[in-house]
Amino acid sequence: SAVISQKPSRDICQRGTSLTIQCQVDSQVTMMFWYRQQPGQSLTLIATANQGSEATYESGFVIDKFPISRPNLTFSTLTVSNMSPEDSSIYLCSVEEPRGQPQHFGDGTRLSIL
Amino acid sequence: DAKTTQPTSMDCAEGRAANLPCNHSTISGNEYVYWYRQIHSQGPQYIIHGLKNNETNEMASLIITEDRKSSTLILPHATLRDTAVYYCIVRARDQTGANNLFFGTGTRLTVIP
């Protein structure tokens, strides 16, 4: 399965600032996804990162708050904008290649907002 | 995608088989059963998946009932490193399936020395 690397692994940020999280895959993949896991909760899909077009967001998530880039088939970024303490979560990248195969996840970015 | 029901927590003695049940009574014909686990501070790890036949790999076995309304993940010889939250997910593999993997609350398995 693909090797997925996320950076940073963790960060502590001030409220009102923004942070960009990177997801790098060691092979070309069609489907890349971003999830959020709030403290003590399960995972929730934020959006599908589409290569060459705008990301597809799930209900409750908007581009202004979580802009996503997907410049090629091996890389994506998620920005958490204008952060508040409620954004403290683990943010995870996953890939699925090809469609229908099991998704594989990175180890996530643990984000704390003060 | 069909919802699943799992026990909140389970304990298992080290070296014994861990049997984790999952109910998915509304599963559709084109939906597969996937199992993932999440060890503390790590991303979810794929374990196994199946449609209607029993499956086995190096990590676990998956037993799916004939009516496909429930399944059991079996870890044949549980070790302390198997302590994790285990998620049962059903999802279609074709384009009709949503991108979302609905993780639910999972089962917290504790392997006891």
Side-chain angles (χ1 to χ4, degrees):
Chain A
S1 61
V3 176
I4 304 163
S5 302
Q6 280 189 239
K7 290 182 180 180
S9 58
R10 59 178 62 233
D11 208 341
I12 301 173
C13 301
Q14 298 294 322
R15 68 176 68 199
T17 63
S18 299
L19 179 75
T20 296
I21 302 167
Q22 299 180 3
C23 179
Q24 179 75 55
V25 189
D26 69 343
S27 59
Q28 294 187 341
V29 294
T30 306
M31 310 290 289
M32 292 183 75
F33 307 96
W34 287 98
Y35 287 80
R36 180 177 73 180
Q37 186 171 27
Q38 294 176 299
Q41 303 295 314
S42 190
L43 281 76
T44 301
L45 181 67
I46 298 172
T48 302
N50 301 308
Q51 196 270 326
S53 64
E54 192 171 284
T56 304
Y57 290 84
E58 298 298 309
S59 175
F61 298 96
V62 295
I63 187 171
D64 289 347
K65 177 65 176 178
F66 298 102
I68 289 171
S69 78
R70 178 90 191 271
N72 56 51
L73 294 176
T74 65
F75 186 77
S76 178
T77 67
L78 168 75
T79 299
V80 186
S81 303
N82 188 25
M83 289 183 285
S84 66
E86 292 72 35
D87 294 319
S88 297
S89 296
I90 301 173
Y91 293 87
L92 298 118
C93 168
S94 76
V95 303
E96 183 176 318
E97 181 62 33
R99 167 74 177 179
Q101 290 300 306
Q103 288 186 20
H104 294 278
F105 289 79
D107 277 339
T109 296
R110 187 179 296 271
L111 184 58
S112 298
I113 292 89
L114 303 179
Chain B
D1 290 336
K3 293 292 180 64
T4 61
T5 304
Q6 300 177 252
T8 302
S9 63
M10 293 181 63
D11 293 339
C12 178
E14 187 178 17
R16 303 295 295 270
N19 297 281
L20 292 92
C22 179
N23 287 320
H24 31 80
S25 58
T26 60
I27 192 170
S28 300
N30 66 340
E31 289 181 319
Y32 286 67
V33 180
Y34 292 82
W35 283 85
Y36 284 78
R37 71 181 182 184
Q38 188 173 26
I39 297 170
H40 183 64
S41 297
Q42 297 182 20
Q45 177 188 23
Y46 164 76
I47 300 172
I48 198 168
H49 73 282
L51 182 63
K52 51 185 174 182
N53 297 321
N54 298 337
E55 302 288 344
T56 295
N57 63 20
E58 65 278 5
M59 291 182 67
S61 294
L62 174 60
I63 309 298
I64 302 174
T65 58
E66 191 169 344
D67 63 7
R68 303 210 321 123
K69 293 185 176 182
S70 65
S71 61
T72 301
L73 178 74
I74 300 173
L75 308 178
H77 306 286
T79 71
L80 299 180
R81 290 181 297 177
D82 292 322
T83 293
V85 178
Y86 287 76
Y87 296 98
C88 169
I89 300 164
V90 293
R91 180 183 174 222
R93 291 183 67 181
D94 57 25
Q95 295 301 323
T96 66
N99 290 329
N100 195 20
L101 286 180
F102 183 76
F103 277 79
T105 55
T107 296
R108 182 174 297 277
L109 175 69
T110 302
V111 180
I112 302 169

